[in-house]
Amino acid sequence: MAYTAPRPFSRDTAHGRSPSLRGEVRAVGRPGPRPAEGQGMVTRRGFIDGMSAAGAATLFGITPPAAATSIAGATAADAELKARDAMRAANVGMRSSYAALKSALISRLSPVIVVQNDATGGRFTLIHQGGERESVSPVPELFELAKSISHVPQGIFSIIAAYVGDTVPNVPNADRIDPHDLDMVAFEGPRAEGWISPLRSYAATLRTARRQLGKADLPQELEASCGKILDEALTFIGDSVMNGMFDMASFQEFSGRTYPSIRVNMKFAAAAQISGVEGLMREWRVKIGEEAWKDLYAVVLSIWTTSELNQASIIIRRCMNPAKAATHLIDLPTVEVPRDPVFVALDNLARIVQDNVSAEMVFPTDPVVADAFKGKEDLLSVEILHQTGSGCPVREGKV
C-alpha cells in the first residue's frame, strides 16, 4: 500500500469554524465485496474520518511523518465541531417546530381581550369566533382631561430637571433620592439657562388651558382642582423665570401644594375608567355568551412602570371567571408601545398556552419545574439559585 500525503487543510474563517481535513489515504489492492443493496457503502474517506490520521497510518503499516501529528489534531477538532453542530441542530429543529406550532395556534386563540394602554384610558380589542375582531376605546373623555392637568407638575419637572443642582438638598424626602440618579439627571447644572425659553413656552400653553377651563363643562369639583393646579404651576414658572433660578426645594414646595388637587383629579379619572371598562365587559360578555366567557384570556400591554397593579388589569379581573383569572389575565410589559399590539399580545399568548400543555407533558414527574416552565421563571432559575446561594461574589469581592 502506498501513502499519499494529505493536502493542506483549510479554515472557514468567515464562520470561525475549525479546520477540515482535505487529505485522503489511498490503498491499492483487491476491492472487497460490494455491500448488499439498500446498505450504505463505507468509503475509505468515511472510514478514515472515523479515526485519526496517525491511527490510519499505523493500521496500514506506515510510519507517519511529523506533519501527521498536526493533521491528527485538526481531524479531532473537526470531529468535535461536527459533533457540537449536530447537538445544536437538535435545538434548531425544536425551535422551528415550536415556532410552527405557535404560528398555527395564533389563529385559534379565542376568546381573547387585548388591552393597549394609552392616554385615553385604553383601546380594547375582542378576538373571538375564529379570529373576528372588534376594537373599542370605552373610557369617557373625563379620564383624559383629568389626567392631562394632573400631569402638569411632571411637565415642568421634565423641562427643569437637567438644570437642578446635582447634590441632594436638605428636603424632607432627601433620604429617598439616590444621589447617583440625581447626578445623571441633572446633567446641565444650575448655572445653565437653557430651561427658561421652553418653560416660558409651556407657560403659554398652561395659560390658554386656564383661560378656557370654564368652558370645558367639567364637574364643579374637577374644574376647581384643575384650576388650582394650573394656577400654582403658572406662579412657580413666573417666579422662577423672573428670578432666573429655581432649586429642588422650591419645586417640591410647588408640587406639594398641587397634590391635594391631583388627588381629586385621580378620583374622577378612576371613576371614569371603571365605568367605561366595566360597561364594555358586560356588553362583550353578553355578545360571546357565558360558556365562552368562562375561558376568556385577557392580555394587557403596558410599559414596565405601569405593569404591576395596572388599572385596566384591576378592572378586568373583577369581570373574569374567578377560577381562571390568575392564569388567564396576563400583564405583558413591553419595551415600548408596539406597532401591532394585537399581534404582539397573541404571539405571546400562543407561547403561554402551548407552554401550559407542554410543561405537564415534558415534565410530568416534577410539578415545580413544570410550574416554572409555565410561568415567568426561567427554567434554570431554581438551579442557579441553588448553586449561587444567597451571596453575590461581585459584591463580596470574590471575582
Side-chain angles (χ1 to χ4, degrees):
M1 280 181 205
Y3 174 80
T4 301
R7 302 187 187 99
F9 59 84
S10 62
R11 183 185 300 271
D12 185 355
T13 55
H15 301 286
R17 299 172 71 87
S18 300
S20 299
L21 186 62
R22 301 296 187 187
E24 59 182 78
V25 176
R26 298 177 181 172
V28 180
R30 179 177 298 174
R34 290 181 175 272
E37 185 176 353
Q39 296 178 358
M41 179 178 291
V42 180
T43 64
R44 295 184 179 87
R45 173 62 187 271
F47 175 69
I48 293 176
D49 277 350
M51 65 177 68
S52 69
T58 302
L59 176 64
F60 296 141
I62 301 169
T63 302
T69 302
S70 62
I71 296 299
T75 305
D78 189 49
E80 178 183 305
L81 176 66
K82 289 180 179 179
R84 295 187 175 194
D85 282 348
M87 295 173 68
R88 293 186 184 97
N91 191 47
V92 171
M94 180 282 292
R95 290 183 179 278
S96 177
S97 300
Y98 186 96
L101 175 61
K102 179 161 64 72
S103 179
L105 182 56
I106 286 175
S107 63
R108 298 180 58 82
L109 295 171
S110 176
V112 182
I113 292 176
V114 176
V115 183
Q116 178 187 358
N117 283 290
D118 58 24
T120 66
R123 185 161 182 80
F124 293 66
T125 299
L126 173 66
I127 300 99
H128 66 109
Q129 293 181 350
E132 181 182 340
R133 295 187 184 186
E134 176 184 352
S135 294
V136 180
S137 296
V139 180
E141 190 179 17
L142 207 64
F143 170 92
E144 182 183 7
L145 299 176
K147 289 193 69 175
S148 293
I149 302 303
S150 297
H151 289 162
V152 167
Q154 185 67 36
I156 295 175
F157 166 81
S158 300
I159 294 171
I160 68 173
Y163 302 91
V164 300
D166 59 0
T167 302
V168 179
N170 184 22
V171 292
N173 60 336
D175 60 329
R176 294 171 55 85
I177 301 172
D178 188 316
H180 180 62
D181 289 353
L182 176 60
D183 182 59
M184 289 189 290
V185 170
F187 52 85
E188 293 287 357
R191 296 180 181 177
E193 297 183 348
W195 56 274
I196 295 178
S197 178
L199 199 58
R200 280 175 172 163
S201 178
Y202 191 47
T205 300
L206 300 183
R207 278 193 293 270
T208 301
R210 184 66 180 97
R211 191 166 54 248
Q212 298 290 333
L213 184 62
K215 302 176 184 179
D217 191 25
L218 303 177
Q220 185 175 359
E221 186 182 10
L222 179 58
E223 180 181 334
S225 62
C226 289
K228 173 68 171 175
I229 295 169
L230 290 168
D231 288 342
E232 290 290 353
L234 289 167
T235 298
F236 172 79
I237 293 174
D239 291 346
S240 300
V241 171
M242 182 178 64
N243 297 328
M245 63 175 293
F246 63 87
D247 57 22
M248 188 179 293
S250 65
F251 180 82
Q252 287 193 351
E253 289 176 7
F254 145 68
S255 58
R257 291 192 299 269
T258 67
Y259 181 67
S261 297
I262 289 175
R263 292 295 309 181
V264 173
N265 284 29
M266 292 170 67
K267 179 182 72 173
F268 279 92
Q273 190 168 36
I274 292 169
S275 65
V277 175
E278 287 190 344
L280 180 63
M281 294 300 104
R282 286 193 293 268
E283 178 184 328
W284 279 351
R285 186 170 186 166
V286 171
K287 183 172 187 173
I288 69 174
E290 289 296 324
E291 190 65 23
W293 188 264
K294 72 178 183 179
D295 292 319
L296 174 74
Y297 272 100
V299 183
V300 181
L301 282 75
S302 62
I303 58 175
W304 178 86
T305 52
T306 61
S307 59
E308 289 192 17
L309 283 180
N310 184 277
Q311 63 262 30
S313 299
I314 294 171
I315 301 168
I316 292 174
R317 181 182 294 273
R318 290 159 39 94
C319 304
M320 295 179 67
N321 177 359
K324 292 193 174 183
T327 57
H328 283 49
L329 175 59
I330 299 158
D331 286 291
L332 187 63
T334 58
V335 177
E336 60 183 15
V337 178
R339 293 183 179 180
D340 188 344
V342 174
F343 172 77
V344 170
L346 295 180
D347 184 70
N348 280 270
L349 179 58
R351 180 186 295 270
I352 292 167
V353 170
Q354 69 189 63
D355 283 357
N356 287 344
V357 179
S358 172
E360 299 300 340
M361 296 177 67
V362 176
F363 301 106
T365 61
D366 194 333
V368 174
V369 172
D371 285 344
F373 192 79
K374 289 182 185 179
K376 296 180 180 179
E377 297 178 23
D378 186 284
L379 200 58
L380 286 178
S381 58
V382 174
E383 181 62 25
I384 288 175
L385 286 172
H386 173 71
Q387 293 189 25
T388 58
S390 58
C392 174
V394 176
R395 185 176 65 244
E396 296 170 358
K398 296 179 180 178
V399 296

